Amino acid sequence: MKIYKIITSLFLITSFISCKSLSVTTKDVITQAEKNTESQVVVYEKFESKYIIPRNVEVFLPEGYDATSKEKYKVLYMHDGQNVFNAKTSYTGIDWGVDEAIDSLMKLGKIKNTIVVAPWNTVKKRFSEYMPKAPAALTESPEVKAALKKNTGYDSLYSDEYLKFLVEELKPFIEKNYNVSPKKEDTSVMGSSMGGLISLYAICKYPEVFGAAGCVSTHWPVQVLGEAYISTLPTTLPDPTTHKIYFDFGTETLDAEYEPFQKKVDEIMVAKGYTQGTNWITKKFDGASHNEKSWNERVHIPLEFLLK
């Protein structure tokens, strides 16, 4: 059963909000969670950042969450947070069902105890925040900046700033206020489409922070930038002895374009030393489309691989 704790009183004047002021209310919520056997989603509205524009951040606490247990919880950071837990805020009216999947997998002993942290995207800036800024020389070229301005309204990519928000602001806040492990082997990142790209970029750019990445229906065919980013992977992929990466794609709608690109990435994974089924998975789902319904139907697969 989903219980949404909507925190609103702190955000009447958002310009004066800081993470420090949020923590007081968070402790109150955690105290309630200690006494509640049902799972909860805590919503922080317009979470402030010095790197990116404010946005909602949702935190899922699984059934039986224990703020005082000696065993620290794993943390999964997921992008496009409005689509992760709540059908009412999801683009398509169908959410990923990650909360139900986490509760079920934990009960079955398939995964370790885990909380999920899901910052929302800001629709107009989503591409600029999720497209990897690599290779940097290309993304900063006049031609690309002009194309970005024409198509998105912004003349730069802000994925580096978005990742700084995750690593330098959101992660410390979560570790201060929740009973979670800070270790990289207990910290994962996951998303779909452009969210798949930024998840891969995150584990490549911060291999000391993220131990696993789930890249669902990864949107490789971005004109010019997509293949250019793939070309950086041979030198940026993290150590396969200490990291895990999951990829998948469907065969319908936008996903039908992905297989040729994914095959190139798979070749790079093999050359880097990754082993299919051990520290890397690529799965093809025949008949699956590029939408939340398809991701909901298979989300248990990457979750089990990333969090077991």
Side-chain angles (χ1 to χ4, degrees):
M1 178 180 179
K2 298 181 181 180
I3 299 178
Y4 287 86
K5 300 289 184 181
I6 311 297
I7 303 174
T8 57
S9 60
L10 292 174
F11 302 99
L12 296 177
I13 307 177
T14 59
S15 60
F16 294 98
I17 296 303
S18 68
C19 290
K20 183 177 180 180
S21 65
L22 286 171
S23 66
V24 176
T25 298
T26 301
K27 290 176 182 176
D28 293 339
V29 172
I30 292 174
T31 300
Q32 294 172 17
E34 287 183 71
K35 301 174 182 178
N36 197 330
T37 59
E38 296 176 323
S39 57
Q40 301 183 20
V41 175
V42 183
V43 182
Y44 298 96
E45 295 182 345
K46 297 185 178 178
F47 193 101
E48 287 287 332
S49 168
K50 65 182 179 182
Y51 297 115
I52 58 175
I53 58 178
R55 70 210 49 217
N56 290 1
V57 174
E58 301 191 11
V59 179
F60 169 70
L61 305 178
E63 184 175 329
Y65 170 78
D66 186 352
T68 63
S69 69
K70 292 182 179 180
E71 181 185 352
K72 300 289 186 180
Y73 285 67
K74 286 177 172 280
V75 185
L76 171 62
Y77 292 88
M78 290 193 67
H79 317 290
D80 295 316
Q82 56 263 65
N83 302 329
V84 175
F85 309 119
N86 191 348
K88 292 181 180 179
T89 58
S90 175
Y91 294 163
T92 60
I94 299 173
D95 63 83
W96 282 57
V98 170
D99 41 359
E100 291 94 343
I102 291 284
D103 276 338
S104 296
L105 291 168
M106 282 177 55
K107 286 179 183 177
L108 293 170
K110 299 283 189 180
I111 64 173
K112 297 291 182 65
N113 289 346
T114 302
I115 77 168
V116 182
V117 180
W120 287 30
N121 69 55
T122 52
V123 178
K124 292 183 178 180
K125 212 170 184 179
R126 181 175 182 268
F127 179 89
S128 295
E129 289 184 340
Y130 287 3
M131 184 69 221
K133 194 172 183 177
L138 175 63
T139 61
E140 287 296 307
S141 68
E143 295 81 9
V144 168
K145 290 172 78 70
L148 286 171
K149 183 69 173 179
K150 178 180 179 181
N151 291 290
T152 70
Y154 299 95
D155 63 0
S156 294
L157 297 179
Y158 300 96
S159 48
D160 285 355
E161 287 76 10
Y162 175 72
L163 292 183
K164 285 181 180 179
F165 158 67
L166 290 185
V167 172
E168 298 180 17
E169 296 177 327
L170 186 55
K171 186 173 185 284
F173 174 77
I174 295 299
E175 290 167 3
K176 178 181 178 181
N177 292 289
Y178 292 93
N179 186 22
V180 298
S181 168
K183 298 176 181 177
K184 78 169 184 293
E185 57 266 33
D186 295 322
T187 307
S188 303
V189 60
M190 185 165 85
S192 64
S193 193
M194 295 296 297
L197 285 176
I198 192 63
S199 296
L200 184 61
Y201 190 45
I203 200 173
C204 290
K205 194 169 183 66
Y206 292 96
E208 75 285 1
V209 173
F210 301 105
C215 310
V216 177
S217 293
T218 311
H219 189 62
W220 303 113
V222 178
Q223 188 175 15
V224 180
L225 297 179
E227 293 214 45
Y229 176 59
I230 291 174
S231 72
T232 69
L233 296 179
T235 57
T236 61
L237 281 171
D239 185 348
T241 65
T242 52
H243 293 78
K244 297 191 296 185
I245 301 177
Y246 172 94
F247 297 106
D248 72 20
F249 60 95
T251 60
E252 302 299 322
T253 61
L254 195 56
D255 273 33
E257 302 178 22
Y258 294 163
E259 188 166 14
F261 298 92
Q262 188 61 58
K263 285 183 175 179
K264 292 181 181 179
V265 174
D266 291 350
E267 291 174 359
I268 296 171
M269 295 291 287
V270 171
K272 186 71 176 183
Y274 282 85
T275 302
Q276 175 81 279
T278 302
N279 49 15
W280 152 54
I281 286 178
T282 292
K283 281 186 171 290
K284 177 180 179 179
F285 292 91
D286 289 318
S289 299
H290 192 86
N291 55 38
E292 284 72 27
K293 178 178 182 296
S294 292
W295 302 326
N296 177 297
E297 290 171 353
R298 66 179 190 261
V299 70
H300 60 286
I301 298 173
L303 289 178
E304 184 173 348
F305 177 69
L306 298 176
L307 303 172
K308 63 184 178 182

